Amino acid sequence: MPSSAEPTILILIGPGGAGKGTLARHLVEADPRVWLSRSWTTRPRRPGEAEDAYEFVDRERFLVRVAQDGFLEWAEFLGNLYGTPVPEPPDGHDILLEIDLQGAVQVLDRVPGAVVALIVPPSEAHQIERLRRRGDTEAHVAARVERGRAEIEAGRTVADHVVVNEDLESSAAELLSILGGLRESRAAD
Ligand code: 5GP
């Protein structure tokens, strides 16, 4: 298959509360050629969280899919399993993944051309506010902030781009321009 037919993979990583999920949904709405993968997780659905935010499954079902080699990557994050099903985007679409750092490292191993954008909150105060707003318990907020510090530090070593998510519109515009550049360079191959 010529390389120009291969979809681009853009991976969003970053700490919980950085706004990755909102950004990802915004990108899909803004660009019809972006296909967002829906992850599987064993984490219970949060109150008020969309039913289709993930494929919510129990550990047993998750591990059956692991055994079937049905994930592009999967990882354990704060006690729950998360995985990206082997992607099957429609023709002409690029793949957007919103996953953690361990997952991004696995994808880069399998698909070295994948591009990683690290999304960081403008401050820890912003991050904590976002985490509280979505209903995380205080213990979870503290664990995610702590874990987030490590994600940002290690994320910088694998990221091709770092986006400080102060304003949704401008962060989305930055990511769309990154995607546009990737498509241009792919078309020129
Ligand atoms: P949350 O529980 O806040 O929805 O997600 C926790 C972390 O897991 C976030 O960093 C999120 O990006 C990551 N995550 C979501 N889906 C996947 C996935 O399919 N694989 C991996 N490795 N991480 C994921």
Side-chain angles (χ1 to χ4, degrees), residues 20 39 43 46 54 73 82-84 98-100 144:
K20 282 172 298 175
S39 296
R43 167 171 75 63
R46 295 189 191 101
Y54 285 98
E73 62 72 34
Y82 295 80
T84 303
E98 190 240 298
I99 60 179
D100 83 330
R144 277 168 194 266

Side-chain angles (χ1 to χ4, degrees), residues 11 13 72-75 99-108:
I11 309 174
I13 60 168
L72 174 63
E73 62 72 34
W74 66 276
I99 60 179
D100 83 330
L101 175 65
Q102 310 168 75
V105 170
Q106 292 176 50
V107 176
L108 286 172

Side-chain angles (χ1 to χ4, degrees), residues 7-13 19-31 33-39 72-73 83-85 87-90 93-99 107 114-117 119 171-172 175-176 178-179 182-183:
T8 295
I9 302 185
L10 176 63
I11 309 174
L12 306 185
I13 60 168
K20 282 172 298 175
T22 312
L23 252 176
R25 287 192 297 278
H26 197 82
L27 291 178
V28 171
E29 277 166 25
D31 186 334
R33 284 179 297 168
V34 174
W35 180 83
L36 177 62
S37 165
R38 185 150 73 107
S39 296
L72 174 63
E73 62 72 34
T84 303
E88 292 182 352
H93 285 64
D94 293 315
I95 299 172
L96 180 64
L97 305 181
E98 190 240 298
I99 60 179
V107 176
V115 172
V116 179
I119 313 299
S171 301
L175 290 169
L176 287 171
I178 291 168
L179 256 181
L182 292 171
R183 286 176 181 142

Side-chain angles (χ1 to χ4, degrees), residues 52-72:
D52 62 356
Y54 285 98
E55 177 84 27
F56 294 97
V57 297
D58 60 24
R59 211 169 171 100
E60 195 185 332
R61 215 177 129 209
F62 193 102
L63 292 175
V64 167
R65 185 155 189 154
V66 170
Q68 292 167 338
D69 219 7
F71 290 114
L72 174 63

Side-chain angles (χ1 to χ4, degrees), residues 147-169:
R147 170 77 186 232
R149 287 191 198 124
E151 285 263 324
I152 292 176
E153 201 182 317
R156 287 189 196 278
T157 65
V158 301
D160 301 285
H161 305 273
V162 178
V163 175
V164 179
N165 188 19
E166 177 127 40
D167 167 69
L168 176 65
E169 292 295 335

